[in-house]
Amino acid sequence: MRVTICAIGRSKNDPAQHLLDDFEDRIKKAGPSTGLKSLTMIEVEAPRGLSGPERQSAETKALLAKAPSPRTGIVLDGRGAALTSEAFSEKIRAWRDASADDLVFFIGGADGHSDEIFADARLTLSLGSATWPHMLARVMVLEQLYRAVTILSGHPYHRG
């Protein structure tokens, strides 16, 4: 199973880049033993001069156009399911065991997603009730992916 994080915005010189690189490296090393063949980050430039629903729509179209297809889509949204790490790893296991080829996480811009992306999703996932900067949301997704890999492999990183 290939994993792609498809996100609005660029990480240029972001302080979170070190964490992104660290978790990406960890997943690339440990993931193959659990069926995660690859990890790719796709950054989509935010449209300029748009706001509200117009911006949401343009960003959604851009994200969907850049993402692999067919896919198992996971949309990050505050209205989604707040899963425990164990429940998240079970979702990963189930998709892997069902021979899902491409698992794609969609991280939208400041205005959120348009409805079109939810129709494409197998899961709408919340990182909690707080609002997070987009770079930290990427770090949190990568950390939870790494945690899922360690849960699936029996590694002691996750001691829950």
Side-chain angles (χ1 to χ4, degrees):
M1 179 168 60
R2 294 173 298 271
V3 176
T4 302
I5 297 176
C6 201
I8 294 295
R10 305 255 183 233
S11 62
K12 52 189 168 200
N13 300 323
D14 193 278
Q17 190 63 50
H18 175 72
L19 290 169
L20 289 168
D21 293 342
D22 182 48
F23 282 115
E24 189 172 343
D25 186 53
R26 289 181 188 207
I27 292 166
K28 286 180 177 179
K29 288 178 182 172
S33 69
T34 61
L36 271 69
K37 298 174 190 167
S38 67
L39 174 66
T40 304
M41 181 78 66
I42 297 175
E43 296 181 321
V44 177
E45 194 68 45
R48 299 189 188 277
L50 300 175
S51 62
E54 288 177 321
R55 185 180 182 116
Q56 285 177 325
S57 180
E59 288 177 351
T60 293
K61 286 181 174 111
L63 288 171
L64 292 172
K66 294 280 187 176
S69 187
R71 61 187 158 251
T72 299
I74 301 167
V75 177
L76 271 70
D77 186 271
R79 298 165 291 182
L83 301 178
T84 66
S85 296
E86 293 87 352
F88 180 69
S89 70
E90 282 305 312
K91 291 270 188 198
I92 301 289
R93 179 193 316 267
W95 289 320
R96 179 200 65 196
D97 293 351
S99 300
D101 287 331
D102 286 289
L103 190 62
V104 180
F105 290 83
F106 292 104
I107 301 174
D111 292 321
H113 298 287
S114 69
D115 291 341
E116 182 182 359
I117 205 162
F118 295 103
D120 184 75
R122 294 282 304 275
L123 173 66
T124 302
L125 181 66
S126 172
L127 297 175
S129 57
T131 301
W132 296 99
H134 296 98
M135 290 305 142
L136 285 182
R138 292 179 194 190
V139 170
M140 293 166 72
V141 168
L142 285 178
E143 193 282 337
Q144 284 300 295
L145 278 169
Y146 178 66
R147 188 171 297 273
V149 165
T150 63
I151 289 169
L152 295 173
S153 68
H155 187 277
Y157 178 80
H158 179 76
R159 294 180 187 87

